[in-house]
């Protein structure tokens, strides 16, 4: 187990412009900017963000495979900026499981330990312990060419942990697997983490993977940390519109709105739509006639109601997924998505009335995108 700390870490690739060919990416663009976080001993951290946001770069800097442009990385209070990868006590499992083809699974697992002159009986003891955790004990005599994609992924992760690292780094380790296999291996990784007690970081663009595996999620955008928190914190209390729209499937509705004052109170209104939604009591202290806000509400928190307290809106799309139904209605130029378990089928053009679960609405500043508390 190790405690990892990143302090104001920056990364700028000197060849950034070359890599981007004609795309004119400025040389001084940072792939990672002012990135700081702390992973406590034995924690499971998920770094999540869209493609190109700097997840792999961050992991590679922690592993020592990429130079840091500025800032510091500490493992157990030792600054490791200039330490060689082999001296960082780190286990790595990357997306492309580069197993050695001529070697058996056992020999692949043993490779690094043999290089460190670990005695054969110790190697056997650790492989005997790790192999069942990732269900590779039946595969030990096979060569990589005889393994399925899922089996290779398992061996890849097992190989990273037989080294008994203080820190385990996983970069999209399940990316080549189909949905069912991903779910199985996800559960195995979770069990394995509980058993081996090793501080683990997983990098993924798959929010389900991050939310189900990690105790702490870090969300990145354009090289910057947006929010760090438990899966529930980032889902329930997003700090800005980006996190709100990124976490959750289907994503949170984010509607541009103007608050208006009527005799009966304050209402959210939407350009080009008759829809009016009463401003919940908790937002009244910041409500003002004409104030512009972005209103965030998850599809599950938009309720279809029979009450005639709201203006009817027209159904544009209706989808039945069996256990839930998704309805999309037009609001001005945009759409509002609703997820419901109610077993009513709608046709295009049907009108429905809506209510919002006011406890679960979020307000964002339309300029900065930051949450308004
Ligand atoms: P993905 O999910 O697609 O793997 P990511 O979030 O892991 O993306 P990175 O691979 O860390 O993102 O890339 C961050 C930025 O750094 C991108 O703009 C990328 O093009 C750039 N970049 C990454 N590697 C290099 C490199 N070797 N040379 C130049 N630029 C690079």
């Amino acid at each position: 187990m190790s405690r990892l700390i990143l302090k104001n870490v920056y990364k700028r690739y000197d060849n950034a412009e070359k890599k981007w060919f004609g795309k004119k990416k400025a040389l001084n663009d940072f792939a990672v900017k002012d990135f700081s976080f702390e992973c406590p001993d034995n924690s499971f951290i998920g770094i999540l963000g869209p493609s190109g946001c700097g997840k792999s770069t961050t992991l590679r800097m922690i592993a020592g495979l990429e130079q840091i442009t500025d800032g510091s990385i500490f493992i157990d209070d030792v600054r490791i900026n200039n330490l060689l990868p082999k001296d960082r006590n780190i286990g790595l499992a990357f997306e492309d499981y580069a197993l050695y083809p001529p070697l058996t699974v056992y020999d692949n697992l043993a490779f690094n330990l043999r290089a460190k002159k670990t005695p054969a009986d110790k190697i056997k003891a650790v492989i005997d312990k790790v192999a069942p955790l990732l269900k590779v004990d039946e595969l030990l005599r096979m060569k990589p060419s005889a393994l399925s994609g899922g089996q290779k992924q398992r061996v890849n992760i097992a190989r990273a942990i037989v080294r008994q690292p203080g820190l385990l780094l996983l970069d999209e380790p399940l990316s080549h697997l189909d949905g069912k296999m991903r779910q199985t291996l996800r559960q195995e990784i979770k069990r394995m983490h509980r058993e081996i007690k090793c501080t683990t970081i997983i990098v993924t663009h798959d929010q389900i993977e991050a939310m189900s595996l990690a105790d702490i999620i870090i969300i990145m955008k354009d090289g910057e940390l947006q929010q760090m928190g438990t899966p529930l914190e980032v889902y329930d209390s997003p700090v800005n519109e980006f996190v709100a729209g990124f976490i959750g499937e289907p994503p949170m509705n984010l509607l541009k709105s103007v608050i208006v004052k009527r005799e009966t109170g304050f209402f959210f209104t939407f350009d080009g739509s008759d829809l009016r939604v009463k401003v919940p009591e908790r937002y009244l202290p910041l409500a003002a006639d004409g104030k512009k806000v972005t209103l965030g509400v998850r599809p599950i928190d938009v309720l279809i109601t029979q009450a005639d307290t709201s203006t009817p809106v027209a159904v544009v799309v209706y989808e039945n997924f069996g256990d839930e139904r998704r309805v999309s209605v037009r609001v001005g130029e945009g759409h509002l998505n609703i997820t419901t378990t109610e077993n009513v089928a709608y046709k295009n053009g049907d009108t429905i009335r809506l209510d919002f679960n006011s406890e679960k609405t979020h307000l964002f500043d339309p300029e900065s995108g930051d949450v308004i508390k």
Side-chain angles (χ1 to χ4, degrees):
M1 282 189 274
S2 291
R3 190 164 67 104
L4 170 78
I5 299 176
L6 269 72
K7 265 199 187 144
N8 311 105
V9 170
Y10 287 80
K11 173 68 185 176
R12 184 176 58 210
Y13 286 103
D14 293 335
N15 63 342
E17 194 149 31
K18 249 191 259 160
K19 183 170 165 156
W20 279 81
F21 305 101
K23 282 195 187 164
K24 267 288 163 227
K25 201 166 189 279
L27 263 181
N28 59 359
D29 264 0
F30 285 96
V32 173
K33 296 168 212 160
D34 202 11
F35 202 65
S36 301
F37 70 84
E38 180 172 340
C39 307
D41 261 351
N42 198 24
S43 52
F44 202 139
I45 309 280
I47 304 185
L48 186 59
S51 185
C53 72
K55 306 181 293 294
S56 299
T57 300
T58 303
L59 212 65
R60 292 172 62 80
M61 287 191 289
I62 297 168
L65 302 174
E66 213 57 78
Q67 280 287 328
I68 301 167
T69 307
D70 202 359
S72 301
I73 300 186
F74 299 89
I75 294 183
D76 293 333
D77 300 328
V78 177
R79 190 170 184 269
I80 57 153
N81 285 36
N82 299 318
L83 222 55
L84 290 173
K86 68 177 178 57
D87 298 327
R88 295 186 181 202
N89 190 23
I90 278 172
L92 287 172
F94 285 134
E95 177 176 358
D96 60 341
Y97 31 72
L99 303 174
Y100 302 110
L103 304 186
T104 61
V105 168
Y106 187 94
D107 290 337
N108 264 284
L109 296 183
F111 192 87
N112 282 306
L113 297 177
R114 285 182 183 145
K116 281 201 273 177
K117 309 257 181 294
T118 310
D121 56 337
K122 273 205 173 156
I123 296 178
K124 182 169 182 317
V126 70
I127 293 179
D128 283 350
K129 184 177 164 217
V130 168
L133 292 178
L134 284 147
K135 300 212 172 114
V136 298
D137 40 343
E138 307 275 296
L139 314 174
L140 293 173
R141 290 171 187 282
M142 292 165 77
K143 297 263 177 76
S145 56
L147 304 179
S148 71
Q151 290 169 330
K152 283 183 194 155
Q153 298 275 20
R154 286 190 163 83
V155 175
N156 189 27
I157 299 170
R159 185 174 52 172
I161 60 178
V162 288
R163 311 172 77 172
Q164 299 176 289
L167 195 60
L168 177 64
L169 305 179
L170 308 172
D171 192 349
E172 303 271 8
L174 312 182
S175 58
H176 296 307
L177 305 183
D178 62 33
K180 185 108 182 73
M181 189 118 59
R182 278 178 99 104
Q183 194 189 348
T184 312
L185 196 44
R186 224 165 45 216
Q187 287 165 351
E188 273 152 26
I189 292 177
K190 200 156 181 134
R191 246 196 323 271
M192 174 272 299
H193 179 253
R194 266 201 306 268
E195 287 280 322
I196 64 165
K197 299 199 178 17
C198 173
T199 308
T200 303
I201 303 182
I202 185 166
V203 154
T204 173
H205 61 271
D206 178 342
Q207 52 168 300
I208 303 209
E209 208 159 284
M211 301 284 276
S212 61
L213 281 171
D215 348 291
I216 299 172
I217 306 268
I218 292 173
I219 295 157
M220 287 183 82
K221 178 187 169 234
D222 298 337
E224 288 177 284
L225 187 149
Q226 303 291 305
Q227 186 166 4
M228 179 166 177
T230 63
L232 217 59
E233 277 163 359
V234 295
Y235 181 86
D236 277 342
S237 312
V239 295
N240 59 29
E241 280 187 37
F242 175 79
V243 175
F246 193 76
I247 298 287
E249 174 45 41
M252 185 184 285
N253 294 293
L254 294 164
L255 302 167
K256 298 283 174 221
S257 170
V258 178
I259 297 177
V260 295
K261 188 167 193 278
R262 294 282 176 265
E263 273 168 21
T264 46
F266 286 101
F267 293 85
F268 294 112
T269 64
F270 309 92
D271 204 18
S273 165
D274 293 335
L275 183 66
R276 303 252 177 289
V277 179
K278 205 160 179 29
V279 173
E281 212 149 288
R282 66 199 170 104
Y283 290 133
L284 286 180
L286 49 89
D289 196 27
K291 185 179 173 107
K292 290 184 180 165
V293 294
T294 301
L295 174 65
V297 60
R298 294 202 181 276
I300 193 93
D301 297 316
V302 185
L303 314 170
I304 299 173
T305 170
Q306 306 306 324
D308 61 358
T309 46
S310 81
T311 324
V313 285
V315 171
V316 187
V317 178
Y318 170 80
E319 297 166 298
N320 192 338
F321 288 88
D323 55 346
E324 65 172 41
R325 281 141 278 278
R326 294 185 187 173
V327 185
S328 182
V329 298
R330 191 179 296 287
V331 175
E333 292 298 300
H335 289 128
L336 174 73
N337 297 318
I338 305 147
T339 303
T340 175
T341 49
E342 202 185 284
N343 203 1
V344 181
Y346 296 101
K347 293 190 306 299
N348 210 348
D350 282 355
T351 55
I352 55 174
R353 294 176 192 273
L354 305 177
D355 200 359
F356 289 7
N357 178 353
S358 61
E359 284 305 306
K360 298 284 183 142
T361 50
H362 307 258
L363 287 192
F364 301 98
D365 181 327
E367 296 289 320
S368 66
D370 292 340
V371 73
I372 306 172
K373 291 198 178 146

